[in-house]
Amino acid sequence: MPQKPESHVDAAAARHEDPLHGRKLSIGIISPYSFETPGGVQFHIRDFAKELMARGHHVEVLAPGRRTKDMPLWVHTNGSSFSIHYNGSVAQMSYFGVVGLQTRRWVKQGQFDILHVHEPETLSLSHKPLTMRHHPPMVATFHAAFNTYPRLLRFGESYLRRYLDPLAAAICVSDAALDTAAHYLPEQLETHIIPNGINRNFFAKAAADSRWTGSEEQPTIGFLGRMGDERKGFKIFAQAAQQILREYPHARFLCVGDGESDGRKILNRIDSSGNLTKHCEFLGRISDEDKARFYRSLSVYVAPQTGGESFGIVLAEAMAAACPVVASDLDAFRAVADDGNAAALFENGDGADCARSVCAVLGDSSLRERLRLNGSQRSRQYDWSSVADCVLRVYARALS
């Protein structure tokens, strides 16, 4: 087991402090997953890099895959990737052939003050710099949390413990992520729990969109995620929707994300009459600006994920937009929801309990207002202004 981690955020202590005392760093960040497809780790890296650059630091990112036209110039790619089923989803990684040589060359040429690798336990780019004889101080962030600890990791624990020894510090994004990483982190490695970050003001200042705004008679209930990914819980959302319609027959269910065809198949399996499908609107992949307006407009946002979540970034975003949230009671979600004070919780995997929670929120204006206020306040500790300070404190310790 690694050393006992420092406190989760210590946001009050970190806020408004500059642990680097004015020093500006050259920072290299390595992503294990391709930026060609959206994902939580990629968004985390992107937004953290933007926060660092806004503070005057120089940042470059290396990721698997190929460049796309909307990719920032500070994101570099190695030109290759492969698909692999990982933690209940499909990830685009890169590991074999000359990938190690490419990655180590990128690190050497970057002449970084510090190197920040994400998920170095995975078979991808983040794994490669750990074999370098000469390297800048290295910090790693561990995101993954598993319902069932993978057999492959269990077999590789001794190897990973030795392989991760060059790290100066480890960051876990939640207690759930630490529960996983603790199996293979070196015993004496300095470990911190620092959550994912959000641009709180971006969501808090969003205006409602009339297309998605609900009313007492016609509430709008939102879902965001890959509908074909079982762990994202669209089936649970659909089961709940069928029951919610009995109490709110004019309700609209707004579904954001990839997998409309998968979503429609799930709806038809649950209700072959087509009534459920009539009340579900598929919005596809939307821009960040529309996502903020989406949260702001909803009567309730539902996070029905069934597992594999190390943090509740969608909860934090929706709460920042002052949207009442109903979420499954995963450990990671329970932590973000302040054990039910900032978001209503339902039993994981139970569509009927999800429906009961949503109807309770829709039917009680005082409860909705309490969730709005508590959620908005709770989201402050996840703002990048606080989270980045905490990470920079880890950098400062690693550099010293």
Side-chain angles (χ1 to χ4, degrees):
M1 292 287 288
Q3 291 181 325
K4 183 179 179 181
E6 295 194 350
S7 57
H8 286 52
V9 184
D10 286 335
R15 193 177 294 128
H16 306 312
E17 292 181 3
D18 180 5
L20 297 169
H21 306 291
R23 179 183 177 186
K24 302 305 178 186
L25 301 178
S26 176
I27 302 165
I29 302 177
I30 300 183
S31 168
Y33 310 127
S34 171
F35 273 58
E36 296 171 89
T37 54
V41 174
Q42 298 93 309
F43 288 146
H44 173 99
I45 292 171
R46 179 199 67 183
D47 294 343
F48 178 52
K50 288 180 178 179
E51 176 69 19
L52 290 173
M53 287 186 283
R55 297 178 181 217
H57 300 286
H58 173 77
V59 181
E60 294 183 46
V61 174
L62 179 65
R66 296 169 178 80
R67 288 199 60 81
T68 59
K69 61 181 180 180
D70 59 343
M71 204 173 284
L73 292 177
W74 42 266
V75 174
H76 307 264
T77 60
N78 75 333
S80 67
S81 65
F82 62 90
S83 299
I84 185 171
H85 287 273
Y86 182 71
N87 197 14
S89 185
V90 178
Q92 295 289 330
M93 301 184 185
S94 188
Y95 185 76
F96 302 103
V98 297
V99 170
L101 180 63
Q102 289 176 321
T103 304
R104 291 186 286 271
R105 183 186 297 135
W106 182 83
V107 173
K108 289 177 183 177
Q109 292 175 345
Q111 298 184 331
F112 303 113
D113 296 310
I114 199 156
L115 184 65
H116 192 154
V117 297
H118 288 255
E119 301 278 54
E121 78 283 11
T122 62
L123 297 179
S124 195
L125 302 188
S126 301
H127 198 71
K128 298 298 186 178
L130 291 159
T131 61
M132 296 178 68
R133 182 171 298 178
H134 303 290
H135 56 78
M138 286 191 286
V139 171
T141 292
F142 296 86
H143 299 261
F146 298 91
N147 293 357
T148 303
Y149 187 65
R151 182 179 301 176
L152 182 62
L153 282 178
R154 186 177 294 113
F155 289 149
E157 285 175 8
S158 297
Y159 161 77
L160 283 173
R161 225 172 268 121
R162 293 191 303 271
Y163 200 83
L164 297 172
D165 195 58
L167 294 175
I171 296 169
C172 296
V173 300
S174 65
D175 287 309
L178 176 63
D179 287 344
T180 294
H183 289 275
Y184 44 77
L185 288 178
E187 290 185 4
Q188 300 305 312
L189 183 63
E190 183 178 293
T191 305
H192 309 258
I193 298 180
I194 302 174
N196 288 325
I198 61 169
N199 184 343
R200 183 181 180 277
N201 284 340
F202 177 77
F203 293 99
K205 293 180 178 179
D209 189 311
S210 59
R211 294 173 297 170
W212 305 324
T213 303
S215 64
E216 293 288 335
E217 290 294 318
Q218 192 179 52
T220 50
I221 301 152
F223 169 90
L224 189 154
R226 296 183 295 274
M227 282 153 250
D229 186 340
E230 186 175 353
R231 66 177 185 156
K232 296 303 179 183
F234 184 77
K235 178 182 176 182
I236 307 303
F237 180 77
Q239 290 171 342
Q242 185 181 38
Q243 298 188 44
I244 293 167
L245 284 170
R246 297 169 187 167
E247 195 162 335
Y248 293 89
H250 302 294
R252 298 166 60 202
F253 299 90
L254 308 180
C255 311
V256 170
D258 294 332
E260 177 178 344
S261 61
D262 293 314
R264 290 188 180 278
K265 289 176 184 176
I266 291 170
L267 295 178
N268 289 331
R269 283 198 294 268
I270 292 172
D271 179 15
S272 58
S273 72
N275 182 58
L276 184 55
T277 302
K278 291 177 183 176
H279 288 268
C280 290
E281 302 170 33
F282 294 91
L283 307 181
R285 200 183 291 183
I286 61 178
S287 67
D288 288 343
E289 290 75 16
D290 274 347
K291 181 170 69 169
R293 288 189 280 265
F294 173 74
Y295 289 135
R296 173 66 77 171
S297 306
L298 296 173
S299 305
V300 177
Y301 174 73
V302 178
Q305 284 85 335
T306 59
E309 301 289 335
S310 62
F311 186 74
I313 192 71
V314 288
L315 275 67
E317 291 174 346
M319 292 190 301
C323 177
V325 174
V326 171
S328 59
D329 61 354
L330 297 173
D331 288 344
F333 285 4
R334 185 178 288 277
V336 175
D338 193 21
D339 207 24
N341 291 315
L345 300 171
F346 66 90
E347 185 176 350
N348 181 23
D350 190 334
D353 197 37
C354 177
R356 283 192 292 270
S357 295
V358 171
C359 289
V361 173
L362 291 175
D364 187 338
S365 59
S366 62
L367 174 58
R368 284 200 308 277
E369 189 60 22
R370 178 169 63 81
L371 292 177
R372 290 183 199 277
L373 293 175
N374 290 353
S376 177
Q377 182 63 32
R378 179 71 170 172
S379 69
R380 292 180 184 277
Q381 68 177 275
Y382 303 117
D383 187 71
W384 275 118
S385 63
S386 297
V387 173
D389 281 346
C390 296
V391 178
L392 288 174
R393 286 198 296 166
V394 176
Y395 286 2
R397 292 169 70 103
L399 290 165
S400 66

